[in-house]
């Protein structure tokens, strides 16, 4: 009975045993994936420059449209004043 238990135990151990490689390659150090300081800084500056250009374009368009609206309102007020002065 002891032999059968040992045989059963060794069968279970073989079932759960890990298969290990016999010819392992030497470990290599991975190359750094991130860029250096100047690459990061230049990427930041390019992004900041592009966002500055986009916001400048947006602000310019808002100013042009706002000035057009104000000039239109001013002309309407001048027309109303002329009309009142004629009476």
């Amino acid at each position: 009975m002891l032999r059968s238990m040992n045989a059963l135990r060794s069968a279970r151990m073989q079932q759960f045993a890990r298969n290990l490689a016999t010819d392992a390659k030497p470990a290599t150090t991975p190359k750094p994936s991130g860029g250096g300081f100047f690459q990061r800084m230049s990427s930041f500056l390019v992004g900041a420059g592009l966002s500055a250009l986009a916001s400048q374009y947006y602000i310019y368009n808002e100013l042009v449209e706002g000035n057009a609206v104000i000039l239109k309102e001013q002309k309407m007020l001048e027309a109303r004043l002329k009309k009142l002065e004629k009476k």
Side-chain angles (χ1 to χ4, degrees):
M1 183 158 180
L2 188 58
R3 283 186 181 179
S4 65
M5 287 179 68
N6 282 340
L8 182 61
R9 185 179 300 161
S10 68
R12 285 186 183 166
M13 292 299 277
Q14 286 178 357
Q15 187 179 20
F16 293 112
R18 290 176 36 187
N19 295 324
L20 300 176
T22 57
D23 56 341
K25 295 181 181 177
T28 59
T29 58
K31 291 183 178 180
S33 61
F37 175 74
F38 289 109
Q39 183 179 3
R40 291 181 183 184
M41 184 60 83
S42 63
S43 297
F44 171 76
L45 291 175
V46 167
L50 289 175
S51 64
L53 285 174
S55 59
Q56 182 180 1
Y57 176 75
Y58 175 75
I59 291 171
Y60 175 76
N61 280 342
E62 288 292 317
L63 284 173
V64 169
E65 291 173 5
N67 286 341
V69 169
I70 289 175
L71 285 174
K72 180 180 173 185
E73 292 289 327
Q74 183 180 359
K75 287 180 182 178
M76 287 174 45
L77 283 173
E78 287 176 2
R80 286 178 60 191
L81 279 174
K82 282 184 183 179
K83 198 180 224 186
L84 287 173
E85 288 174 353
K86 286 182 182 178
K87 288 185 177 181

